[in-house]
Amino acid sequence: MEYIALLIFFFILLGLALVFVFINYVLGPKSSDALQDYPYECGVPLYDKSAQSTFHQGYYLLGLLLLLFDIEAAFLFPWTVVYRYLGIFGFIEMFLFILILTYGLLYAWRKGALNWQFEEESL
Amino acid sequence: MEGLLAWLVITLIKIVVILAIVLGVGAYLTLVERKVAAHIQRRPGPMVVGWHGLLQPLADGLKLLTKEDLFPRYGNRFLYNLALVMALVPATLVFAVVPFGPEFEAFGIKVKPILTDVNIGLLLVFALGSMAVFSIALAGWASNSKYALIGSMRKAGIIVSYEVVITFAVMGPIILAGTLSTYDIVQNQIDQKLWYVWLQPIAFVVYMFAMLAETGRVPFDVQEAEAELVTGFTVEYGGMKFGLFPLVEWYIEVLSLSAIAVVLFFGGWSPINIPFLGFVDPLFFLGPLSPFVWFVLKVSLLFLFVLWLHWTLPRYRIDQITETAWKVMLPLTFVNLVLTAVFAPLIWR
């Protein structure tokens, strides 16, 4: 029952978002100018048409780190809820887990994965 | 059957109220922001449309609605529009688990002022919060413009870094409360006569950092960086689509994360707390309305705090921001988690 309310809300929001997507097409004027849909680049012609070729590799590394640590966060969430009933056993178990986690972080730190990868360094 | 109908009506009323709050208040927060920004910079701000610019959001909305629908010619139209849907829907869906006040009785029916009191409320908040990264990455990618791509990549990198930090930061209050349901977390704080901010100052500071980063508010607004990137990933959006991204990012998300911060650290709808002793309510004369007023008051104070930061601080670089997340904030949350686990049994009694 609780989740059905969530589902109703989701579909109402989806409808609203679709309204926002199409409302300008309905209400707005339609003019035709040769360059009006040209990608913005400070008024100069585009050097290449696609911008989807390169981005900084540092972002890729951040994504990898997120995968590692967010999965571990997913392990910790159930523990935080039932920790009250686990007693000293739960504490020691999770202390060891967090210790290993910290070790993983230190390893990444030592390897330089946490540093922003400047391109100058590779030259 | 009648019970089901009553449930449906109540749910729909709640949804309408939440939508009114999110879109109405969200739109008017643009005026609040402009006024606050103006007075911080010693100028009056919008004054022309209506009394002290009170009708300005309506004028802005009308202007945005009547703009032409443009689409960058080398982009991907489906992803371009999908980004907009994925920005609005998860950010607003978070409000489904924000408790606005205690349970009350109207016309013989008990009503909880929360859309759904699911027992995984907080998990839902952060799951939906993580969806923001998709909308931003898609918006930049689908626009196929260099400024948009740079802006969206920066923002995605920041969100990805602070996503980890924020999930570890909220674990402290969850241990103290022993539940993930937002309603029960507030109820537990009232029962324990303790706002968790008194025991979790580290978690609160880290949470505020993560909140500023995830919403792209000032010390961390490199995705926008109007001096270098025009407006970042929204460069190629026009009309209402352009209006919606800042609305979602700067107002709806700040509001929802402030509300969650109030729930986690400031005892939701409870009045001023003296640790372990009880609550002092200077607004007692409002009677049953006072919890709602307290909740709104706390959320607006947090929102104004964010605005205050926005208009007084300079901007950091992306490498400084992400390195702070991994090297300072994450170890801090680990320390906080272990400390909380040690002294939590004292709080439960």
Side-chain angles (χ1 to χ4, degrees):
Chain A
M1 234 21 192
E2 290 153 343
Y3 292 95
I4 293 174
L6 208 61
L7 201 67
I8 297 174
F9 194 30
F10 171 77
F11 280 113
I12 290 178
L13 280 176
L14 199 65
L16 197 69
L18 287 178
V19 167
F20 278 126
V21 168
F22 292 109
I23 197 160
N24 274 104
Y25 182 75
V26 178
L27 292 180
K30 287 166 192 67
S31 61
S32 60
D33 187 286
L35 282 178
Q36 67 178 0
D37 58 350
Y38 201 67
Y40 174 78
E41 194 161 308
C42 297
V44 293
L46 292 182
Y47 182 69
D48 19 57
K49 285 174 185 168
S50 176
Q52 295 170 346
S53 52
T54 54
F55 57 87
H56 200 286
Q57 53 140 326
Y59 301 111
Y60 178 72
L61 209 57
L62 287 180
L64 274 183
L65 284 172
L66 168 87
L67 276 186
L68 287 177
F69 284 93
D70 236 16
I71 289 171
E72 278 146 3
F75 277 123
L76 276 168
F77 256 111
W79 170 73
T80 56
V81 178
V82 294
Y83 175 56
R84 187 184 286 229
Y85 311 106
L86 293 180
I88 193 78
F89 165 73
F91 176 73
I92 293 172
E93 284 275 294
M94 263 316 155
F95 186 71
L96 290 178
F97 184 77
I98 295 172
L99 219 58
I100 297 169
L101 208 62
T102 316
Y103 184 70
L105 184 70
L106 287 177
Y107 177 76
W109 198 330
R110 197 64 201 281
K111 282 278 174 186
L114 304 187
N115 292 331
W116 193 252
Q117 311 288 309
F118 286 108
E119 271 144 48
E120 288 83 356
E121 283 169 357
S122 60
L123 292 177
Chain B
M1 197 60 214
E2 218 162 66
L4 192 71
L5 200 69
W7 174 83
L8 200 65
V9 170
I10 291 173
T11 306
L12 285 178
I13 291 173
K14 282 176 181 172
I15 289 176
V16 168
V17 169
I18 290 174
L19 278 182
I21 290 173
V22 169
L23 297 175
V25 175
Y28 258 89
L29 284 178
T30 59
L31 179 69
V32 173
E33 165 136 26
R34 289 173 72 177
K35 278 292 184 188
V36 170
H39 285 283
I40 283 176
Q41 296 166 345
R42 304 198 71 177
R43 56 189 171 86
M47 292 292 274
V48 178
V49 192
W51 183 77
H52 278 261
L54 264 184
L55 298 176
Q56 186 71 45
L58 297 180
D60 287 345
L62 267 180
K63 183 191 74 185
L64 287 174
L65 283 178
T66 51
K67 289 288 174 191
E68 188 173 355
D69 189 32
L70 287 180
F71 172 73
R73 66 172 70 166
Y74 304 119
N76 181 326
R77 192 181 289 274
F78 174 71
L79 292 181
Y80 179 84
N81 288 330
L82 184 69
L84 190 81
V85 175
M86 289 192 70
L88 180 71
V89 174
T92 321
L93 211 54
V94 169
F95 279 93
V97 291
V98 171
F100 292 93
E103 197 171 17
F104 63 91
E105 209 174 301
F107 310 112
I109 308 168
K110 279 191 174 163
V111 182
K112 270 187 186 175
I114 170 172
L115 180 59
T116 53
D117 184 19
V118 290
N119 56 5
I120 53 156
L122 271 183
L123 207 57
L124 199 70
V125 169
F126 295 108
L128 292 170
S130 318
M131 301 284 282
V133 73
F134 291 110
S135 95
I136 286 151
L138 282 179
W141 187 259
S143 301
N144 208 348
S145 159
K146 291 182 187 70
Y147 289 98
L149 188 73
I150 295 173
S152 79
M153 278 300 159
R154 284 181 179 182
K155 181 77 198 276
I158 292 174
I159 292 188
V160 153
S161 304
Y162 278 89
E163 194 64 52
V164 178
V165 172
I166 204 171
T167 39
F168 277 100
V170 297
M171 278 175 194
I174 295 173
I175 288 178
L176 292 181
T179 171
L180 284 170
S181 151
T182 44
Y183 189 88
D184 289 345
I185 287 176
V186 177
Q187 202 58 55
N188 281 355
Q189 289 182 60
I190 292 172
D191 292 343
Q192 293 169 356
K193 299 197 179 73
L194 183 73
W195 284 2
Y196 289 154
V197 69
W198 306 129
L199 292 181
Q200 299 285 327
I202 304 176
F204 178 63
V205 171
V206 171
Y207 183 95
M208 284 306 287
F209 267 83
M211 173 175 151
L212 292 173
E214 293 218 350
T215 55
R217 279 290 182 171
V218 146
F220 306 130
D221 74 331
V222 283
Q223 92 286 358
E224 159 115 5
E226 59 270 23
E228 39 181 303
L229 284 185
V230 209
T231 59
F233 62 94
T234 55
V235 164
E236 298 293 352
Y237 285 82
M240 202 61 215
K241 293 175 185 172
F242 171 70
L244 215 57
F245 272 108
L247 181 75
V248 167
E249 219 193 347
W250 278 14
Y251 303 105
I252 295 179
E253 275 186 18
V254 172
L255 263 190
S256 65
L257 282 175
S258 306
I260 294 300
V262 166
V263 164
L264 280 174
F265 297 102
F266 292 100
W269 60 81
S270 61
I272 299 170
N273 170 245
I274 302 165
F276 301 111
L277 289 177
F279 293 97
V280 182
D281 192 355
L283 294 177
F284 61 90
F285 53 87
L286 289 172
L289 271 182
S290 119
F292 296 94
V293 174
W294 275 114
F295 188 76
V296 171
L297 205 65
K298 288 177 194 169
V299 174
S300 11
L301 277 180
L302 261 185
F303 184 79
L304 285 178
F305 175 69
V306 171
L307 278 195
W308 177 32
L309 290 183
H310 192 129
W311 295 99
T312 42
L313 290 181
R315 176 185 299 140
Y316 289 99
R317 284 199 319 265
I318 172 86
D319 59 316
Q320 294 167 326
I321 296 170
T322 51
E323 280 178 25
T324 315
W326 293 105
K327 292 181 179 174
V328 181
M329 297 293 160
L330 197 59
L332 267 182
T333 54
F334 285 172
V335 170
N336 181 60
L337 192 59
V338 173
L339 280 182
T340 313
V342 170
F343 67 67
L346 297 174
I347 310 301
W348 300 329
R349 273 169 293 176

